[in-house]
Amino acid sequence: MTRLSARPFSDSDPHTFGGRARSFGLNAHSVHVWLGSRQQYASSDSFKRRVLSQYAAVEPADWQFGLGEQGKPHLVDTAEALDFNLSHSGNWLACAVTAGVPVGVDIEQCKPTRDVMTLARRFFREEEVAALQACSEAGQRDHFYDLWTLKEAAVKARGAVLVSGLDARGFALTHSGGSASARVSLTTADDFATAQYCLLDPLPGYRLAVCWLPAAPLLPAVQIYELGAAGVSGPRKQPLRASSWPH
């Protein structure tokens, strides 16, 4: 079961990481999603560096990064077992961090003027376009952003080429029973048998998706934090919009 804890943040929390007492700890199940306002950061790079320094005795300016074959950033010259991924849209930045498990995150501002069906016909699979066409106008826009963020997160977790990879996986969302949240399923084969996906509504007018690729069958423990001028707030108590695991 995914844990979305409402425990208030405290600088005295006794977690340890990298041999130094820290306020945040990661384990094999952890997926931490950080939010930051773009008004408070000179760049997405400065936000990413500040987030990573929550987990290790490393100054933000001292982190060193390399790029994978398809351009996904990763840490170099560090003993810290961290994987991360960054996204930004509108006025917000998002950074997902794990204890070395590949992760992808995508945040999107849901623009009411965007022609979602034209984009869907260009980038989505045939069955996804059909599902969108069956929705009401308002539902169509919501469903489009759910699918778009899931697709981007899946591509980014794997470090693949974004535009050419959007139709590599087909997604479907289904509601069952009395649950308020939906189930994420794939309509295509996945190259990771253990891949997990979830959707969140982190902010009014935004969608956020996470793709998590553990090497063994594990259920993620998702927590959301905000890193602002006054420090850290969270973890937030926030229900999942949808996930690929039972809840």
Side-chain angles (χ1 to χ4, degrees):
M1 181 177 180
T2 299
R3 300 188 298 274
L4 293 176
S5 171
R7 178 181 59 79
F9 169 75
S10 170
D11 284 321
S12 63
D13 286 352
H15 300 304
T16 60
F17 201 90
R20 174 183 169 181
R22 303 299 300 169
S23 298
F24 300 92
L26 293 170
N27 59 40
H29 295 263
S30 299
V31 181
H32 291 180
V33 178
W34 291 82
L35 301 173
S37 169
R38 289 179 114 171
Q39 297 174 344
Q40 296 177 3
Y41 295 94
S43 66
S44 58
D45 180 67
S46 64
F47 172 67
K48 171 185 67 182
R49 290 172 180 275
R50 281 198 60 198
V51 167
L52 291 172
S53 288
Q54 304 300 315
Y55 298 94
V58 178
E59 292 298 320
D62 293 338
W63 291 104
Q64 299 294 316
F65 303 97
L67 295 177
E69 291 184 4
Q70 303 292 347
K72 184 182 180 183
H74 59 83
L75 292 171
V76 298
D77 299 329
T78 179
E80 308 301 337
L82 295 172
D83 193 79
F84 66 93
N85 195 235
L86 188 69
S87 180
H88 52 83
S89 182
N91 295 322
W92 288 91
L93 301 149
C95 184
V97 182
T98 71
V101 179
V103 67
V105 65
D106 184 57
I107 187 171
E108 294 290 337
Q109 184 180 24
C110 303
K111 298 179 180 178
T113 57
R114 182 170 285 166
D115 186 347
V116 297
M117 288 308 303
T118 295
L119 287 170
R121 292 186 184 98
R122 180 179 177 187
F123 294 111
F124 287 8
R125 298 179 63 84
E126 185 175 321
E127 67 271 18
E128 293 169 325
V129 173
L132 283 168
Q133 289 173 326
C135 295
S136 65
E137 184 176 351
Q140 194 174 81
R141 190 168 305 281
D142 286 346
H143 195 51
F144 169 84
Y145 282 107
D146 287 339
L147 295 176
W148 185 276
T149 54
L150 284 168
K151 287 172 172 291
E152 282 217 25
V155 172
K156 293 173 70 180
R158 294 162 172 83
V161 177
L162 188 59
V163 173
S164 63
L166 287 178
D167 66 349
R169 287 166 200 84
F171 290 92
L173 275 70
T174 55
H175 290 270
S176 60
S179 175
S181 57
R183 182 74 179 267
V184 177
S185 59
L186 275 84
T187 61
T188 55
D190 204 334
D191 54 340
F192 277 76
T194 56
Q196 298 284 5
Y197 302 89
C198 71
L199 285 163
L200 293 159
D201 291 338
L203 302 154
Y206 286 81
R207 286 282 191 276
L208 186 145
V210 173
C211 172
W212 189 65
L213 304 175
L218 297 172
L219 297 184
V222 181
Q223 292 183 316
I224 303 175
Y225 299 91
E226 185 173 339
L227 186 57
V232 177
S233 61
R236 295 184 180 183
K237 183 178 180 180
Q238 184 154 10
L240 295 173
R241 178 176 177 83
S243 75
S244 58
W245 59 91
H247 48 277

